[in-house]
Amino acid sequence: MNILEIKDLSFSYDDKSDAVDQASFTIAKGSYTTIIGQNGSGKSTIAKLVIGLLEKKAGTIIVDGLELSSETIDKIRQKVGIVFQNPDNQFIGATVSDDIAFGLENHCVDPKEMDDIIHHFADEVNMLDYLQHEPTKLSGGQKQRVAIAGVLAMAPNILIFDEATSMLDPRGKKEINDLIDEIHEENDMTIISITHDIEEVVHSDHVIVLSEGKVIMEGKPEVVLAKEKELKALSLDVPFAYKLNKALGLKGIKLKEKIHMERLVDELCQLALKK
Amino acid sequence: MPISFKEVSYTYSPKTPFAYEALKGVNVNFTEGKITAIIGSTGSGKTTLVQHLNALLLPSAGEIEVLDRKIKANIPVKDLKSLRKMVGLVFQFPEYQLFEETILKDVCFGPLNFGIEPQEAIKISKEMLRLVGLDESYDERSPLELSGGQKRKVAIAGILAINPQILVLDEPVAGLDPQSSKAMMKLFVELNRRYNKTILIVTHNMEHVLAYSDDVVVVDQGSVIRHVTKDEFFMDDDILNELKIAPPAIINVKAMLKAKGIELKGHHLDLESLTDAIVKEIW
């Protein structure tokens, strides 16, 4: 079943050229989709259109069976949560607890229930010990975890991460990537991740490649990421496993695996055993 | 000439309940003419450290020497403008600083401010915009219309247009797509190799540290705990483990093979050498 359907979607910032140009794709419920493309290809614009932060010029957006319009926008915003790139720009509360409460207050959640909800989601992102901490006392990864808790508290059906780890140090990045995997697997949450991290794409179920606002390629990472020429033409990279596979091939070692490093290492081990 | 920190400490909000010592008696000598990567986890003091280089922050204690200039605690810096022409600093989020109506005007701001004639400033700015990969069609557009990555390119062009001797880049390619990142890093290498610019790059990207830097400085809890060459850094498994740094893919492969019982001999910091070692071991 598709939880998100985008059909012939267009948007222009300046009425001259389209930042999103008749883009169409669908996202299956419970899947982990990555969206890649060079800077200015329309990735973040599509995310903003889906949550109604920008108004489309043409096309349709259907979220969980509901078409986005001025009448349905509030309902759709409850279904789609988004976490942005810069952890400092989305921390609204004076403390972690206040920050998670912000969305709940906006949705008039009964204050008696609020404490339980805040505790539950702070625990889910492993921030229960920090509820009274101020944002200045948190690392980038911790701030992103609070942002994720705030979004999860709204019980969305889809979580969009707009380059949510690109500002973080390697430890923060791993922390958030592990948390996204956990939320995806345990809650069967639909994840859409806009990313430049090709290794994250390797581990997703589905990848959509954008260029100049258009969907240029989409499919399983094994298929899309093996198209080196096309990706390079779009200023995109291939996974390290692909480069290693190619370099070893030139030296006479032909391997099947091109995308997953773990599988490629396993293949090398089998060859070593045969030696 | 030296680019050095001697016993430099810096405290944010001193004498208040929020006082926070971000640098604690830092001693480090950056080598002129090299590309030095400054690494460390968030909050370790990297940004605070580099903001001392053009006197954006003044030390609470200690002394900094930048080429022929000295910056000391509690003494106002004379001729700040010439120091800032010498040390160009690209902030972590430079795109927030774009303010002019057109991209070209934004890049021209620096050179005009440093007394370059308008015609010449325009010429330099156009060159720099082309250098960062933005063609003429961008000159008259508003910087506000650009994507995050494109804004970053404009901000970097703005600093390059000042032609500083030392270029300090705080996470310059975070948020750029892989090819733009690569092109930008190669540009910094070219500025170093061809024009002998000293380049200090604060980064979390270990692939970039491996591919583009000469030296590595590690900042941890407000102190510089290592200053080594890139090769020394990546050949030392202990540092990588101690700092919990995810190593670059090339080094990771070696560790993955080792975990499965295949031990490659020697150190391999490029694909050619890694594949040779694999062939030797399993073929």
Side-chain angles (χ1 to χ4, degrees):
Chain A
M1 182 202 156
N2 291 330
I3 196 150
L4 177 65
E5 290 172 45
I6 288 186
K7 199 157 184 269
D8 296 328
L9 186 65
S10 291
F11 174 81
S12 173
Y13 284 100
D14 57 7
D15 285 336
K16 287 177 209 152
S17 58
D18 284 349
V20 176
D21 187 3
Q22 294 187 306
S24 298
F25 60 86
T26 56
I27 294 207
K29 188 171 188 286
S31 66
Y32 189 144
T33 301
T34 41
I35 302 183
I36 58 174
Q38 63 191 109
N39 297 126
S41 59
K43 307 182 295 292
S44 298
T45 306
I46 288 186
K48 286 177 188 155
L49 288 165
V50 170
I51 57 166
L53 269 183
L54 295 172
E55 206 177 327
K56 68 183 164 46
K57 190 169 97 176
T60 48
I61 298 170
I62 299 172
V63 179
D64 201 14
L66 206 60
E67 184 174 344
L68 178 70
S69 67
S70 51
E71 285 85 43
T72 58
I73 193 163
D74 286 340
K75 276 190 180 159
I76 283 181
R77 280 186 182 156
Q78 285 181 24
K79 290 174 185 285
V80 188
I82 187 161
V83 178
F84 292 102
Q85 187 177 38
N86 190 340
D88 292 319
N89 286 2
Q90 46 195 335
F91 210 107
I92 297 158
T95 63
V96 168
S97 174
D98 284 355
D99 199 72
I100 302 173
F102 180 79
L104 298 169
E105 282 165 359
N106 269 349
H107 284 85
C108 306
V109 170
D110 185 346
K112 284 176 210 151
E113 290 170 23
M114 212 151 6
D115 255 3
D116 283 347
I117 300 175
I118 291 168
H119 274 77
H120 175 78
F121 288 102
D123 191 25
E124 181 132 352
V125 300
N126 218 357
M127 287 295 286
L128 203 49
D129 296 339
Y130 296 85
L131 279 176
Q132 296 315 317
H133 277 56
E134 297 162 19
T136 49
K137 303 242 163 73
L138 304 177
S139 72
Q142 287 171 330
K143 282 181 206 161
Q144 284 301 60
R145 280 198 267 160
V146 176
I148 294 171
V151 171
L152 283 177
M154 309 308 300
N157 306 71
I158 304 173
L159 260 184
I160 303 178
F161 294 91
D162 188 356
E163 292 190 50
T165 64
S166 72
M167 297 279 174
L168 304 180
D169 60 20
R171 216 178 298 177
K173 197 170 188 163
K174 187 169 183 321
E175 210 177 284
I176 297 305
N177 280 337
D178 289 350
L179 179 61
I180 297 175
D181 281 344
E182 208 179 295
I183 294 167
H184 172 58
E185 277 157 26
E186 286 177 12
N187 307 0
D188 202 22
M189 179 78 74
T190 307
I191 306 280
I192 302 173
S193 177
I194 295 168
T195 183
H196 288 308
D197 180 357
I198 211 74
E199 300 305 327
E200 185 189 348
V201 179
V202 168
H203 292 101
S204 65
D205 303 318
H206 189 77
V207 52
I208 294 170
V209 185
L210 291 180
S211 176
E212 295 177 349
K214 295 185 179 71
V215 176
I216 295 288
M217 284 189 271
E218 68 168 317
K220 287 188 181 304
E222 297 87 280
V223 179
V224 174
L225 294 181
K227 296 181 177 172
E228 188 187 8
K229 256 192 205 161
E230 289 91 330
L231 290 173
K232 284 226 162 126
L234 295 168
S235 295
L236 299 170
D237 212 357
V238 289
F240 183 71
Y242 186 93
K243 295 176 193 167
L244 185 58
N245 176 304
K246 198 173 164 187
L248 285 168
L250 292 173
K251 293 191 169 147
I253 299 182
K254 305 279 182 212
L255 301 171
K256 278 189 208 139
E257 182 57 45
K258 288 182 175 171
I259 306 295
H260 293 90
M261 206 57 231
E262 301 84 357
R263 292 182 203 159
L264 190 143
V265 166
D266 284 344
E267 252 187 282
L268 282 172
C269 291
Q270 281 164 13
L271 277 179
L273 283 175
K274 285 182 197 160
K275 182 183 170 183
Chain B
M1 274 195 276
I3 305 165
S4 67
F5 284 63
K6 282 177 207 147
E7 293 299 327
V8 172
S9 296
Y10 184 81
T11 304
Y12 285 101
S13 313
K15 295 174 193 161
T16 73
F18 306 106
Y20 174 69
E21 195 179 20
L23 294 182
K24 300 168 186 166
V26 167
N27 287 301
V28 64
N29 268 306
F30 294 104
T31 317
E32 210 188 341
K34 285 201 173 177
I35 301 179
T36 304
I38 301 170
I39 64 167
S41 52
T42 309
S44 59
K46 306 183 296 295
T47 297
T48 306
L49 179 82
V50 297
Q51 288 188 348
H52 278 80
L53 284 160
N54 70 351
L56 205 62
L57 294 177
L58 294 174
S60 309
E63 183 183 307
I64 296 143
E65 257 189 281
V66 185
L67 305 181
D68 59 346
R69 305 288 300 268
K70 283 192 179 173
I71 302 166
K72 291 182 183 176
N74 308 317
I75 299 177
V77 179
K78 283 180 199 158
D79 196 9
L80 210 53
K81 210 166 173 179
S82 76
L83 175 69
R84 291 194 176 154
K85 166 131 185 36
M86 198 156 72
V87 184
L89 203 152
V90 178
F91 288 94
Q92 212 165 352
F93 304 111
E95 52 272 28
Y96 295 161
Q97 294 162 204
L98 304 177
F99 59 93
E100 285 281 12
E101 14 171 329
T102 71
I103 288 165
L104 183 61
K105 276 190 186 170
D106 213 288
V107 178
C108 279
F109 179 82
L112 287 174
N113 202 24
F114 284 115
I116 307 272
E117 291 298 317
Q119 284 300 322
E120 183 63 13
I122 288 173
K123 190 176 156 244
I124 297 170
S125 301
K126 284 187 171 181
E127 268 172 38
M128 295 307 132
L129 281 166
R130 302 303 91 84
L131 208 56
V132 298
L134 296 172
D135 64 37
E136 297 95 48
S137 70
Y138 286 91
D139 289 356
E140 298 306 319
R141 284 171 64 181
S142 160
L144 303 178
E145 285 173 11
L146 302 180
S147 75
Q150 288 165 334
K151 282 182 188 167
R152 176 143 316 189
K153 290 181 186 179
V154 174
I156 290 173
I159 295 296
L160 295 180
I162 299 169
N163 192 23
Q165 187 47 37
I166 302 172
L167 204 53
V168 183
L169 307 150
D170 196 352
E171 287 282 349
V173 298
L176 290 188
D177 62 56
Q179 292 298 319
S180 300
S181 296
K182 209 184 267 181
M184 199 62 87
M185 293 304 293
K186 283 186 171 166
L187 170 65
F188 298 143
V189 172
E190 196 190 329
L191 290 169
N192 168 260
R193 305 288 188 255
R194 193 188 286 184
Y195 303 103
N196 201 31
K197 306 270 183 209
T198 302
I199 299 191
L200 308 181
I201 302 184
V202 175
T203 181
H204 291 309
N205 188 324
M206 290 303 131
E207 303 290 345
H208 288 168
V209 176
L210 177 64
Y212 306 111
S213 69
D214 301 312
D215 286 353
V216 179
V217 162
V218 184
V219 185
D220 188 36
Q221 296 179 43
S223 300
V224 168
I225 58 163
R226 290 278 202 299
H227 185 185
V228 290
T229 66
K230 172 188 65 186
D231 287 7
E232 284 168 342
F233 181 74
F234 285 113
M235 285 176 186
D236 186 346
D237 295 338
D238 292 342
I239 308 188
L240 297 174
N241 289 333
E242 188 189 316
L243 297 171
K244 292 186 185 154
I245 282 174
I250 284 187
I251 291 168
N252 210 18
V253 172
K254 196 182 160 192
M256 287 169 87
L257 284 166
K258 191 178 173 186
K260 301 245 171 181
I262 300 178
E263 190 144 11
L264 302 181
K265 289 177 191 74
H267 289 283
H268 312 286
L269 299 182
D270 59 74
L271 195 55
E272 184 65 24
S273 138
L274 175 73
T275 47
D276 280 345
I278 292 175
V279 170
K280 205 178 273 177
E281 200 55 42
I282 71 163
W283 210 231

